[in-house]
Amino acid sequence: MPLDSPVRLGIQVQPQHAEYSAIRDTVLRLEDLGVDIAFNWDHFYPLSGDRDGKHFEAWTMLGAWAEQTERIEFGTLVSCNSYRNADLQADMARTLDHISAKGGTGRFIFGTGSGWFERDYDEYGYEFGTPGTRLRALAGALPRIEARWAKLNPGPTRKIPVMIGGKGEQKTLRIVAQHADIWHSFVAPADLPHKLDVLKRWGDEVGRDVSQITVSNELTRRHVDLDYADALYDAGVRLFTLGISGPDYDLGPVSQWLAWRDAKNG
């Protein structure tokens, strides 16, 4: 892994239980604070609290974020591959890349995964299938997305970073080895060395050097646990994410994690 790369902090602004104005203002505040990446998530219903509470769709929201921000990178942590045709996803991603470029280089990160939240599938009429069928669909979609990026006119302003979420050793990590620039998981520090060994073996098998894949992991949500973060850092994590939920987005922990990031990078 690129252990000499700087620590980065991404904040997942969970689009649940809040008015959109609160989400919009939170993203602006995160950019002003110096956060590296703003994420949302790709669901149609809240994942905690009132399961029928307020909620907004991810990708349309990202278009607004692309226009309203100037510096911060952004994306979905992570998109569900099942919800949109692969070529359409590529075109949407390219469009977000250009909206966010403002005459320069785009800032969109393409986060993706196989999907897991069965209620989304049932309510919106998608076939839920099995973990295996969803992973096969993801494995088939990524080459199509990459091929579509090469065909689009205009093409993306940069090589759009691909973030893949998941930890399965037989299928997911193979897909990561083939396609990801960033690998995101919730793997505990003690288990990360094994997972990284598996990732390296897949990289050897598919003919790719995985040493430049950025390792991403989740910070604890309840309190600022510096020991846990330090252990993740020692295991190779360089992108740290933290989820915050509506209706009132508490940015107190964000400032503390930014100070920790800056100390690591100092």
Side-chain angles (χ1 to χ4, degrees):
M1 302 303 114
L3 299 181
D4 58 345
S5 61
V7 172
R8 306 183 74 213
L9 180 66
I11 303 299
Q12 185 189 57
V13 183
Q14 299 165 355
Q16 60 178 6
H17 307 308
E19 299 293 342
Y20 181 71
S21 58
I23 297 171
R24 178 193 62 222
D25 293 348
T26 297
V27 172
L28 289 174
R29 291 168 64 197
L30 292 174
E31 182 167 57
D32 289 343
L33 284 170
V35 166
D36 298 293
I37 308 168
F39 292 111
N40 59 14
W41 66 27
D42 192 19
H43 297 291
F44 305 132
Y45 294 92
L47 297 186
S48 62
D50 179 0
R51 297 307 172 103
D52 292 311
K54 294 175 182 177
H55 199 277
F56 292 97
E57 193 276 331
W59 279 75
T60 45
M61 181 183 299
L62 293 178
W65 290 11
E67 191 62 65
Q68 78 177 51
T69 57
E70 299 291 334
R71 176 200 59 80
I72 199 169
E73 290 190 294
F74 65 99
T76 295
L77 185 64
V78 290
S79 290
C80 175
N81 175 67
S82 305
Y83 300 160
R84 301 163 192 89
N85 169 279
D87 294 84
L88 175 61
Q89 292 181 64
D91 205 338
M92 294 166 69
R94 180 279 311 255
T95 300
L96 288 169
D97 171 75
H98 278 266
I99 294 170
S100 64
K102 312 282 180 76
T105 301
R107 296 174 283 118
F108 176 66
I109 294 173
F110 181 71
T112 189
S114 60
W116 63 272
F117 189 39
E118 189 169 4
R119 184 184 182 188
D120 282 348
Y121 286 79
D122 292 344
E123 295 269 6
Y124 277 63
Y126 297 105
E127 182 179 350
F128 188 56
T130 66
T133 61
R134 295 194 299 274
L135 281 165
R136 283 194 293 275
L138 177 63
L142 283 162
R144 287 176 55 189
I145 289 166
E146 293 163 354
R148 181 58 58 184
W149 281 337
K151 296 176 182 177
L152 289 168
N153 183 15
T157 67
R158 66 171 180 170
K159 197 280 184 190
I160 296 176
V162 174
M163 168 188 268
I164 296 176
K167 64 179 182 178
E169 296 181 10
Q170 298 304 312
K171 296 180 180 179
T172 302
L173 290 181
R174 180 189 177 98
I175 299 171
V176 171
Q178 289 177 302
H179 299 284
D181 302 290
I182 306 167
W183 169 49
H184 181 78
S185 77
F186 299 86
V187 175
D191 298 324
L192 267 173
H194 169 70
K195 296 291 185 180
L196 293 174
D197 284 344
V198 173
L199 180 59
K200 184 181 184 305
R201 291 200 297 271
W202 278 124
D204 292 341
E205 180 162 327
V206 303
R208 185 180 177 211
D209 177 6
V210 300
S211 66
Q212 297 306 304
I213 295 176
T214 297
V215 181
S216 171
N217 207 302
E218 179 82 2
L219 294 167
T220 57
R221 298 181 182 184
R222 292 183 177 84
H223 60 282
V224 178
D225 189 337
L226 297 181
D227 290 339
Y228 187 79
D230 286 340
L232 288 174
Y233 177 87
D234 291 342
V237 176
R238 290 298 180 269
L239 173 57
F240 294 81
T241 67
L242 177 70
I244 57 175
S245 181
D248 301 311
Y249 293 97
D250 179 11
L251 300 190
V254 175
S255 296
Q256 294 172 288
W257 284 118
L258 284 168
W260 178 84
R261 177 202 68 182
D262 293 344
K264 289 293 186 188
N265 293 336

